[in-house]
């Protein structure tokens, strides 16, 4: 079958690719990367014949070198970071379920029994939840879509029991599904998403699909964010390989629109969620759905929408209310962006990309002439005073710009101070705990890191009058 015939049948033919296997790179390979323009000869790079390898300038090869070295560091830290993360979260939850640090000490001194954390219980909270304990929606009859999305994006980091409790007890919504999907990039079940149904939404009922973002202690998630691998699809452009793999794409020659129930891909994130949505939307003709996520979850949300667009699933797209992402990394090249902008505009699909101040994740992978990654869609940018405005791209579009380091460092100091001022200014719900204060201090070492917190995105949506509805 010809490639054009495949495209008309909705099979998305892959025309080229560039895959970096950082785990296979040796010191000798990295040295050759810096000295040789012909990257195809390198054992840890797998690429198609359509690439003009001698166009790989030293700057481009240097960026690839930095990406590979960073990935190898994350590979070395994979198990130590998981262990450290486990104990940090375990102790934080130990204090939390025993009434706080003071009550914990009193119980120890008086010999009273202590409650032990259970990672799968509805009371266990991850690092993200400990940085911001807020789970309630805005107190109004119909909370704005953006507020629902930012809160859903935060609780997406939690376990199934916690999500179910918040959705059903706090939000009074229907909890439809919670999944841990197989991730072709990490070779593990690390793509997490949940679906909830707000039957009281106005003007229409809403089904929210929320993807979990980058887990703070998951080295593979961070590797995915900084990986420069890509797949190119005919008539569409280049797309970030790691994020596509997270949705279930195995890197084959095409991604079919329809598959048999016994196909290996049938249980992947894209097909499972799509069919779950289709079944629920058929039951309630007045309902629509939204896609959302923070960090890597935002990338998966917009790529899920992109696959519906590419597969020309008009029935599903007519029911798509919009895509709302927070601190989302870049997912493709300028050609992919133009394709998506044109398609989503013609279909009337809203896409809002929220960026808070110096958030480092929203500025990777790099956007310059040496690489091709670009953002697309409308950007809602919020400064450190939580004042928002619409922009095509956030200021300082590349995090690693040396010119912006000092302003980012000074802003990190202000954000630390602001944490003590904001409760007096805006109310006690904006009070930051001791653990969030420590997290703010990390921004003094790596400016822009603490700006990626879900807390700042929640504050931005709550405090700014400029938001998508």
């Amino acid at each position: 079958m010809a490639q054009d015939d495949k495209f008309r049948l909705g099979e998305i033919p892959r025309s080229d690719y560039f895959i970096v296997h950082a785990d296979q790179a040796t010191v000798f390979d990295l040295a050759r990367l810096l000295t040789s323009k012909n990257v195809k000869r390198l054992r840890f790079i797998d690429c198609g014949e359509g690439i003009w390898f001698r166009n790989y300038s030293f700057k481009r090869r240097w960026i690839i070198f930095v990406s590979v070295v960073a990935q190898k560091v994350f590979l070395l830290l994979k198990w130590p970071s998981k262990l450290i993360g486990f104990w940090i979260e375990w102790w934080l939850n130990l204090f939390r379920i025993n009434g706080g640090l003071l009550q914990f000490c009193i119980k120890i001194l008086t010999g009273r029994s202590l409650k032990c954390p259970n990672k799968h219980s509805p009371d266990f909270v991850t690092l993200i939840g400990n940085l911001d304990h807020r789970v309630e929606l805005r107190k109004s009859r119909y909370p704005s879509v953006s507020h629902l999305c930012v809160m859903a994006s935060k609780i997406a980091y939690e376990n199934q029991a916690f999500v179910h409790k918040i959705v059903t007890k706090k939000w009074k919504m229907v909890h439809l599904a919670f999944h841990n999907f197989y991730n072709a990039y990490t070779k593990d079940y690390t793509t997490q998403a949940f679906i909830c149904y707000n039957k009281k939404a106005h003007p229409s009922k809403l089904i929210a699909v929320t993807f979990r973002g980058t887990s703070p202690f998951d080295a593979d998630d961070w590797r995915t964010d900084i990986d420069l691998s890509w797949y190119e699809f005919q008539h569409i452009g280049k797309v970030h390989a790691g994020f596509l793999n997270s949705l279930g794409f195995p890197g084959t020659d095409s991604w079919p629109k329809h598959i048999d129930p016994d196909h290996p891909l049938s249980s992947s994130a894209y097909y499972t969620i799509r069919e779950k949505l289709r079944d629920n939307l058929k039951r309630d003709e007045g309902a629509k759905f939204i896609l959302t996520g923070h960090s890597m979850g935002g990338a998966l949300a917009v790529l899920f929408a992109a696959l519906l667009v590419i597969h020309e699933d008009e029935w599903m797209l007519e029911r798509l209310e919009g895509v709302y992402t927070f601190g989302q990394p870049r997912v493709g090249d300028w050609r992919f962006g133009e394709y998506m902008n044109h398609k989503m505009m013609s279909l009337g699909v809203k896409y809002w990309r929220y960026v808070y101040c110096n958030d480092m994740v929203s500025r990777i992978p790099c956007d310059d002439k040496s690489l091709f990654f670009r953002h697309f869609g409308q950007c809602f940018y919020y400064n450190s005073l939580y004042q928002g405005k619409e922009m095509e791209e956030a200021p300082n579009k590349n995090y690693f710009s040396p010119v912006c380091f000092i302003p980012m460092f000074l802003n990190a100091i202000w954000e630390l101070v602001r944490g003590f001022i904001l409760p007096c200014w805006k109310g006690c719900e904006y009070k930051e705990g001791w653990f969030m204060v420590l997290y703010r201090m990390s921004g003094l070492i790596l400016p822009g890191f603490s700006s990626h917190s879900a807390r700042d995105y929640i504050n931005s949506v709550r405090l700014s009058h400029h938001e998508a509805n």
Side-chain angles (χ1 to χ4, degrees):
M1 183 182 291
Q3 291 280 51
D4 288 342
D5 293 333
K6 276 188 175 184
F7 189 77
R8 283 193 290 271
L9 291 172
E11 261 208 32
I12 323 182
R14 188 194 71 183
S15 58
D16 217 336
Y17 59 96
F18 182 84
I19 308 299
V20 179
H21 302 283
D23 56 326
Q24 300 176 15
T26 64
V27 174
F28 178 70
D29 291 328
L30 291 173
R32 288 189 64 191
L33 173 63
L34 294 178
T35 56
S36 174
K37 292 182 179 180
N38 194 344
V39 297
K40 190 179 180 183
R41 295 179 180 178
L42 300 172
R43 293 174 297 176
F44 69 96
I45 292 179
D46 182 17
C47 43
E49 296 296 333
I51 297 175
W52 292 93
F53 301 103
R54 295 193 179 276
N55 286 341
Y56 272 67
S57 64
F58 178 79
K59 184 177 180 181
R60 181 178 293 191
R61 286 182 282 119
W62 170 253
I63 295 173
I64 296 172
F65 173 86
V66 172
S67 170
V68 172
V69 170
Q71 287 185 68
K72 293 190 80 66
V73 171
F74 281 123
L75 283 167
L76 290 174
L77 296 176
K78 181 175 180 177
W79 293 110
S81 63
K82 279 191 175 182
L83 186 61
I84 292 170
F86 170 81
W87 283 112
I88 288 176
E89 291 183 344
W90 192 88
W91 279 101
L92 287 171
N93 280 275
L94 180 66
F95 296 148
R96 185 171 180 268
I97 64 176
N98 286 286
L101 181 58
L102 180 60
Q103 286 296 319
F104 173 80
C105 293
I106 292 174
K107 285 184 177 182
I108 291 289
L109 293 173
T110 58
R112 292 160 59 187
S113 61
L114 295 171
K115 297 178 182 177
C116 286
N118 178 356
K119 191 173 183 179
H120 303 290
S121 79
D123 298 317
F124 191 92
V125 181
T126 62
L127 174 72
I128 304 297
N130 276 289
L131 291 173
D132 186 354
H133 293 295
R134 295 172 296 180
V135 293
E136 296 83 4
L137 296 176
R138 179 175 290 168
K139 293 180 181 179
S140 63
R141 188 177 180 187
Y142 302 114
S144 68
V145 175
S146 51
H147 188 248
L148 169 62
C149 288
V150 74
M151 295 306 294
S153 296
K154 186 181 87 81
I155 72 163
Y157 289 92
E158 309 301 334
N159 64 48
Q160 182 174 0
F162 183 94
V163 170
H164 180 81
K165 180 183 74 171
I166 299 303
V167 169
T168 58
K169 304 297 183 184
K170 293 282 187 182
W171 298 355
K172 307 300 182 183
M173 298 181 187
V174 180
H175 183 228
L176 293 178
F178 183 100
H179 294 282
N180 287 295
F181 297 103
Y182 182 75
N183 185 331
Y185 183 84
T186 63
K187 305 293 190 293
D188 200 358
Y189 289 84
T190 57
T191 300
Q192 184 171 302
F194 78 92
I195 308 174
C196 63
Y197 186 15
N198 185 11
K199 291 187 175 182
K200 297 179 181 179
H202 181 77
S204 62
K205 301 174 184 179
L206 276 180
I207 299 175
V209 179
T210 310
F211 293 90
R212 192 208 69 186
T214 305
S215 180
F217 298 110
D218 193 324
D220 284 333
D221 280 356
W222 288 101
R223 281 181 57 220
T224 307
D225 288 338
I226 63 174
D227 195 348
L228 301 178
S229 301
W230 49 263
Y231 298 113
E232 184 173 13
F233 297 97
Q234 188 176 345
H235 310 304
I236 297 165
K238 298 182 178 72
V239 186
H240 192 287
F243 299 142
L244 279 181
N245 292 152
S246 297
L247 283 176
F249 183 56
T252 51
D253 289 338
S254 63
W255 195 329
K257 179 177 180 178
H258 301 292
I259 57 174
D260 297 326
D262 57 348
H263 194 283
L265 288 177
S266 62
S267 59
S268 66
Y270 172 64
Y271 292 108
T272 302
I273 294 174
R274 188 185 69 177
E275 296 313 307
K276 187 80 176 179
L277 280 171
R278 197 184 300 277
D279 291 342
N280 282 278
L281 291 169
K282 284 180 179 178
R283 291 194 197 103
D284 194 337
E285 294 184 359
K288 291 191 173 184
F289 73 99
I290 51 177
L291 301 165
T292 188
H294 170 258
S295 190
M296 183 172 67
L300 301 185
V302 71
L303 284 181
F304 186 95
L307 290 170
L308 294 178
V309 170
I310 294 166
H311 280 144
E312 297 181 348
D313 199 329
E314 294 182 6
W315 188 86
M316 289 287 289
L317 289 167
E318 286 176 1
R319 313 292 287 274
L320 177 57
E321 173 69 19
V323 183
Y324 301 78
T325 71
F326 306 89
Q328 170 212 313
R330 297 181 175 100
V331 298
D333 67 352
W334 65 271
R335 191 175 167 206
F336 174 73
E338 287 188 349
Y339 173 87
M340 287 300 296
N341 278 331
H342 172 72
K343 289 288 186 178
M344 295 179 86
M345 187 177 296
S346 63
L347 292 165
V349 176
K350 292 182 289 188
Y351 168 41
W352 296 106
R353 178 171 52 83
Y354 291 78
V355 177
Y356 167 73
C357 202
N358 294 321
D359 181 356
M360 63 184 296
V361 175
S362 63
R363 292 168 169 85
I364 58 175
C366 291
D367 171 3
D368 68 6
K369 62 183 180 181
S370 296
L371 290 177
F372 61 83
F373 290 99
R374 302 284 188 277
H375 273 310
F376 67 95
Q378 194 63 44
C379 171
F380 267 4
Y381 173 74
Y382 295 96
N383 62 23
S384 59
L385 292 174
Y386 300 122
Q387 298 168 333
K389 61 180 178 179
E390 294 182 32
M391 306 177 70
E392 285 190 12
E393 180 60 280
N396 181 25
K397 65 178 181 179
N398 288 323
Y399 172 77
F400 296 101
S401 172
V403 178
C404 298
F405 180 81
I406 293 177
M408 286 196 299
F409 178 77
L410 294 175
N411 188 76
I413 296 175
W414 155 242
E415 288 178 335
L416 180 61
V417 174
R418 184 194 59 194
F420 298 99
I421 300 173
L422 199 59
C424 305
W425 181 21
K426 296 296 184 180
C428 60
E429 72 169 288
Y430 297 99
K431 182 180 179 181
E432 298 184 357
W434 65 270
F435 192 59
M436 186 65 202
V437 173
L438 291 177
Y439 185 72
R440 292 282 187 206
M441 290 180 179
S442 69
L444 303 178
I445 302 170
L446 188 62
F449 177 74
S450 61
S451 298
H452 185 57
S453 72
R455 183 182 189 90
D456 281 322
Y457 281 96
I458 293 172
N459 288 350
S460 296
V461 172
R462 287 191 176 188
L463 293 174
S464 175
H465 299 293
H466 196 91
E467 60 177 74
N469 291 294

